[in-house]
Amino acid sequence: MIRRSDFSLRTFSVASSVWYVSVVVGWSLMILAGYEVATASVSRFGPALAMTAVLLLVLELLPLVQGRGHDPQGVVMSTAFVCAMLLIWGVWPAIVMVAIAAIAADLRVGKQWWKVLFNAGQYTVSVASGYLVMLLVGVTPSLEHPLGTFRLGDLSWVCVVWVVYFAVNLGLVAGVLSSGGSFRSALVDDFANYTAMTFAVLALSPLVVVMAQHAWAFLPLLLIPLVLLYNTAQMSLSREHEATHDALTGLSNRTALQFALLDAFNSYARDGKPFGLFVIDLDDFKRVNDSLGHQIGDHLLVRVAERLRMSVRPTDHVARLGGDEFAVIVLDAHESEVRAIAGRIRESLVEPIELRGLMLDVELSIGIAICPDHGTDGDTLLRHADVAMYVAKESRAGIETYSAECDRNSIDQLGLLGELRQALDDHALELHYQPKQSTRDCSTLGVEALVRWRHPQRGFVPPDEFIPLAERSGIMPLLTERVVTLALDQMARWRELGMTVPVAVNVSPTDLVGHRLTDLIASGLRHRGLPAELLQLEITERIVAGDAEETNAVLSRLRALGVSISLDDFGTGYSSLVRLQSLPVDELKIDRIFVSAMARSPEAAGIVRAVIDLAHVLGLPAIAEGVETEEEWQLLYSLGCDGVQGWHVAKPMPHDQATEWVRARGVAAHPYPRREAVASASEQRAM
Ligand code: C2E
Ligand code: CA
Ligand code: CA
């Protein structure tokens, strides 16, 4: 009846002493019982004894689990027959049968050897203790002299036998479990239920006695109430399981985690053992769900749960908090060990997960809080691990241990997110425009719209600070909608002024799933009577690493409208040349990292030259961004770069300044040439 393996047989403790006493006394009695039964004359074994023994073994195969905290073997139905044997034929056959049954049941479920030894031993001792009561009242049946007629008055000492049997059984198990911290609380919680079940089973034993004495052939009828009792208990058990487990992954749920945390805190209070709590969140899970469907999302969660379980120790407690959020309690470990386990969890996901032929790369962020440093109650510890997870995600560090600093960061970020929502409502976002200039004749190829947030207190909040936040929080579609609307409005205003100014709008990877963006742009252009050719979308090269099919489909739909696509930040995203060739884009933008390094480093200049040549081979114009000096401008010109953008040409400007700037310089005749030749070649390949 033991479930914990956290006590050592080599050191002295209450638990180990109880174990040794139970095993030594129990097994000695067993050997003695075996001898007594084996040497008894065969004529003593009548059909009643045989039937009782058979039913006992049958029932042993229906173990009954009782609630949280107890032996997975729980109350055993066969106890009714063990007790009946004790009452009719005395202690030896009862011990032989209880030992055989206990060993068989334990081996069947593959228990560890020391649990098998203990269980058989403690059941034997419990039965023998019951027999002591019979000795005291002078009732000493045996195989030779079975119990005579069973009378009403016998009930009083029989009850005492039950109580003693139950008390010894419970006491021995409690003794061994005293090392596992949760036992006491679990026992108190379930005591009433457990006791009631045990006595319900024991109460059947006089019936077994009477039937065995007078009508042994009727004995199997007793299986009916016992099996019914078994089913009822199973049902309540599976209901309890449902209430504490997550149906999808089979892991504990939030409720069960809270119980486990309580146990961990109790064990900390008693033995001072520190422990860690992880809150784990998958990165980009929403994208998987949205783009590949909930079914794949569910499968992914199941696989992640498996890997989580495999990368922690058997004593650690893994739970699913809901959605793509998990938690792990790492028991009895200091910070360095806790962090090592967090590292193992992340490593376990280095290998992509294969689902229906798709290889999915999963990354997760882990927030760590440690008892007692970061909290000594469940709510605080969970909240702090949550905050740390949030910071791990924001900083892309992957793993973060809670600190007061974390709190500040996350409060800042949460505050910012709230204000960003407000800013969207209040129309506090505006666009600045930065020209792209042709190196051929210095005419304007177009302008790039860059979002600006005028914050009432913080002043100007740069997009790098709130775009990633918006992408992660799911308000990105609203933000993009606002930016696209503002850009189209400005384009329409320029048209009214007789200027045809192509505008490039930045879109996030999260915008490139589904039809939303395409629909928004199509209707926006239509309402304002704008030609689609005037609009360009800049997508970062990093998107190319994502789901090729979905991205290609969205980009192709946009291009079919007439919108052109620019591949932004080129050189930082490791896109393969194969992928690049099939990607429906019309322009490459060389990342400013290379441009700014170009003048100092021949390697960087070499990369820029190679990218320009690559663009031309693919039939695309190359635009260099971040051009800050005349020297860079000239170098790019000499390398054959088609366009430049940067402070040397112009900084991003509010719309009125941008209007003046463009008016003074004019717009190129064919600002955004389409990549027709290459596109049709790749479309042919795709067919
Ligand atoms: P990006 O698309 O690479 O935009 C270019 C950034 O470089 C802009 O920063 C621009 O102000 C800055 N820049 C321009 N010329 C120079 C130069 O000569 N030297 C240097 N050092 N920097 C220069 P900004 O406006 O802060 O935007 C940062 C990033 O935020 C953008 O990078 C873009 O990825 C994102 N972003 C901006 N607006 C939007 C938007 O409306 N939607 C989305 N999804 N992302 C946006
Ligand atoms: Ca851009
Ligand atoms: Ca860029």
Side-chain angles (χ1 to χ4, degrees):
M1 292 186 89
I2 319 167
R3 79 190 163 112
R4 294 193 174 249
S5 53
D6 52 358
F7 86 99
S8 163
L9 291 175
R10 264 175 240 130
T11 50
F12 176 82
S13 64
V14 175
S16 62
S17 326
V18 171
W19 189 90
Y20 279 112
V21 169
S22 308
V23 170
V24 172
V25 176
W27 282 76
S28 307
L29 285 170
M30 256 180 262
I31 293 166
L32 199 59
Y35 174 80
E36 291 287 338
V37 172
T39 53
S41 141
V42 184
S43 61
R44 306 291 175 206
F45 301 92
L49 177 60
M51 179 63 88
T52 311
V54 167
L55 293 176
L56 186 156
L57 286 176
V58 168
L59 284 170
E60 187 64 37
L61 299 179
L62 293 179
L64 170 63
V65 192
Q66 263 304 294
R68 185 171 66 83
H70 288 306
D71 169 21
Q73 208 174 316
V75 181
V76 208
M77 294 296 166
S78 62
T79 308
F81 288 82
V82 170
C83 185
M85 277 194 144
L86 176 69
L87 297 178
I88 308 176
W89 293 288
V91 71
W92 305 127
I95 286 181
V96 168
M97 285 316 294
V98 84
I100 291 177
I103 294 170
D106 281 0
L107 291 182
R108 195 169 59 99
V109 294
K111 282 203 182 156
Q112 287 144 299
W113 62 268
W114 59 271
K115 292 186 183 175
V116 181
L117 284 186
F118 172 74
N119 273 336
Q122 66 90 358
Y123 276 125
T124 301
V125 173
S126 308
V127 170
S129 312
Y131 186 66
L132 283 181
V133 176
M134 295 168 67
L135 275 180
L136 283 178
V137 294
V139 183
T140 54
S142 65
L143 281 171
E144 281 77 14
H145 307 286
L147 184 72
T149 316
F150 207 34
R151 292 172 207 290
L152 203 56
D154 292 331
L155 198 58
S156 51
W157 61 262
V158 169
C159 286
V160 182
V161 171
W162 293 343
V163 171
V164 169
Y165 167 86
F166 177 71
V168 171
N169 178 279
L170 202 66
L172 292 178
V173 175
V176 164
L177 288 186
S178 62
S179 65
S182 70
F183 177 74
R184 219 156 325 182
S185 57
L187 197 64
V188 171
D189 284 359
D190 296 342
F191 186 77
N193 199 7
Y194 179 73
T195 310
M197 283 307 284
T198 306
F199 280 98
V201 172
L202 282 170
L204 280 171
S205 62
L207 276 179
V208 179
V209 171
V210 173
M211 283 166 115
Q213 283 177 333
H214 302 288
W216 62 266
F218 287 3
L219 273 176
L221 289 178
L222 278 177
L223 286 184
I224 296 169
L226 280 170
V227 167
L228 281 180
L229 192 61
Y230 175 81
N231 282 344
T232 316
Q234 278 293 307
M235 221 141 57
S236 81
L237 196 72
S238 69
R239 230 170 280 142
E240 184 182 318
H241 187 90
E242 272 164 34
T244 53
H245 286 76
D246 165 47
L248 180 65
T249 59
L251 294 175
S252 299
N253 62 12
R254 195 179 272 274
T255 312
L257 180 87
Q258 254 140 8
F259 279 121
L261 268 177
L262 216 61
D263 284 350
F265 281 116
N266 286 341
S267 125
Y268 165 72
R270 202 179 38 250
D271 314 318
K273 291 177 180 170
F275 66 91
L277 172 68
F278 299 160
V279 167
I280 302 175
D281 194 271
L282 304 193
D283 300 343
D284 275 345
F285 178 72
K286 200 176 156 339
R287 224 175 93 76
V288 172
N289 236 359
D290 290 350
S291 57
L292 302 177
H294 289 274
Q295 228 178 5
I296 295 267
D298 281 357
H299 284 306
L300 187 69
L301 288 174
V302 171
R303 302 287 290 278
V304 168
E306 281 166 12
R307 294 215 184 162
L308 275 181
R309 229 175 341 209
M310 266 156 30
S311 43
V312 302
R313 305 166 306 172
T315 46
D316 299 334
H317 193 111
V318 184
R320 179 173 171 218
L321 296 177
D324 59 344
E325 221 179 40
F326 297 87
V328 181
I329 302 174
V330 182
L331 285 171
D332 192 11
H334 288 274
E335 180 166 350
S336 57
E337 205 177 334
V338 170
R339 281 193 73 97
I341 292 175
R344 271 217 311 267
I345 291 180
R346 272 179 59 93
E347 268 163 39
S348 77
L349 287 163
V350 166
E351 187 93 344
I353 291 179
E354 202 202 320
L355 281 178
R356 308 219 182 125
L358 293 171
M359 299 299 277
L360 298 177
D361 272 308
V362 181
E363 285 198 23
L364 38 76
S365 303
I366 304 180
I368 303 175
I370 292 182
C371 161
D373 300 0
H374 307 137
T376 47
D377 66 89
D379 284 348
T380 311
L381 210 62
L382 255 173
R383 188 160 41 78
H384 285 170
D386 210 38
V387 165
M389 186 278 291
Y390 193 84
V391 173
K393 196 162 273 229
E394 290 300 309
S395 63
R396 292 171 203 260
I399 301 175
E400 186 70 52
T401 308
Y402 174 79
S403 66
E405 181 75 10
C406 288
D407 253 342
R408 261 196 306 283
N409 284 346
S410 73
I411 288 168
D412 277 0
Q413 294 278 309
L414 283 176
L416 200 64
L417 188 61
E419 286 167 349
L420 182 57
R421 284 181 211 277
Q422 194 61 45
L424 281 166
D425 290 343
D426 298 349
H427 300 266
L429 298 183
E430 56 184 88
L431 295 182
H432 282 193
Y433 300 90
Q434 187 179 31
K436 297 182 187 180
Q437 186 182 48
S438 163
T439 46
R440 193 157 13 115
D441 54 8
C442 292
S443 60
T444 307
L445 293 170
V447 295
E448 176 180 1
L450 293 156
V451 69
R452 298 290 179 257
W453 176 11
R454 298 269 164 214
H455 189 281
Q457 285 91 40
R458 290 174 207 236
F460 162 73
V461 184
D464 284 337
E465 244 176 67
F466 62 88
I467 299 267
L469 187 66
E471 282 174 348
R472 275 191 296 281
S473 66
I475 64 168
M476 198 61 215
L478 296 178
L479 196 145
T480 301
E481 190 176 324
R482 180 59 43 77
V483 168
V484 167
T485 308
L486 286 172
L488 292 176
D489 284 347
Q490 185 58 47
M491 283 161 77
R493 239 174 285 133
W494 276 325
R495 290 263 290 185
E496 279 167 21
L497 294 173
M499 298 161 67
T500 307
V501 187
V503 175
V505 172
N506 292 282
V507 294
S508 295
T510 44
D511 295 320
L512 293 180
V513 284
H515 288 264
R516 190 183 167 114
L517 183 65
T518 320
D519 294 348
L520 171 73
I521 288 174
S523 71
L525 289 167
R526 204 170 342 106
H527 279 125
R528 296 170 182 81
L530 290 166
E533 288 66 29
L534 283 185
L535 183 67
Q536 189 181 49
L537 297 180
E538 295 197 6
I539 59 163
T540 164
E541 192 203 357
R542 277 179 290 273
I543 179 107
V544 181
D547 177 18
E549 241 171 79
E550 170 90 15
T551 313
N552 276 14
V554 176
L555 293 181
S556 299
R557 275 202 297 275
L558 286 162
R559 290 187 83 242
L561 281 180
V563 173
S564 71
I565 309 290
S566 173
L567 196 56
D568 205 353
D569 308 332
F570 190 78
T572 60
Y574 319 105
S575 55
S576 79
L577 295 180
V578 174
R579 178 83 173 88
L580 192 61
Q581 198 185 8
S582 68
L583 197 69
V585 296
D586 307 279
E587 177 184 282
L588 282 196
K589 273 186 99 174
I590 307 170
D591 193 79
R592 67 171 169 277
I593 286 193
F594 304 108
V595 175
S596 62
M598 201 172 55
R600 277 170 286 112
S601 142
E603 288 84 6
I607 292 176
V608 172
R609 179 201 301 271
V611 173
I612 293 169
D613 291 346
L614 174 67
H616 291 167
V617 167
L618 293 170
L620 307 174
I623 308 286
E625 64 179 13
V627 180
E628 294 181 356
T629 64
E630 175 67 19
E631 192 190 353
E632 285 165 357
W633 200 102
Q634 291 298 339
L635 192 56
L636 287 162
Y637 175 71
S638 70
L639 293 176
C641 193
D642 304 274
V644 288
Q645 192 185 19
W647 296 344
H648 180 64
V649 178
K651 288 205 169 185
M653 303 169 275
H655 67 90
D656 44 350
Q657 284 176 35
T659 308
E660 292 312 311
W661 200 94
V662 174
R663 189 174 285 165
R665 286 162 187 80
V667 176
H670 300 289
Y672 290 152
R674 296 288 299 267
R675 183 201 188 184
E676 300 306 345
V678 177
S680 62
S682 70
E683 272 149 27
Q684 275 162 15
R685 252 194 325 277
M687 282 193 238

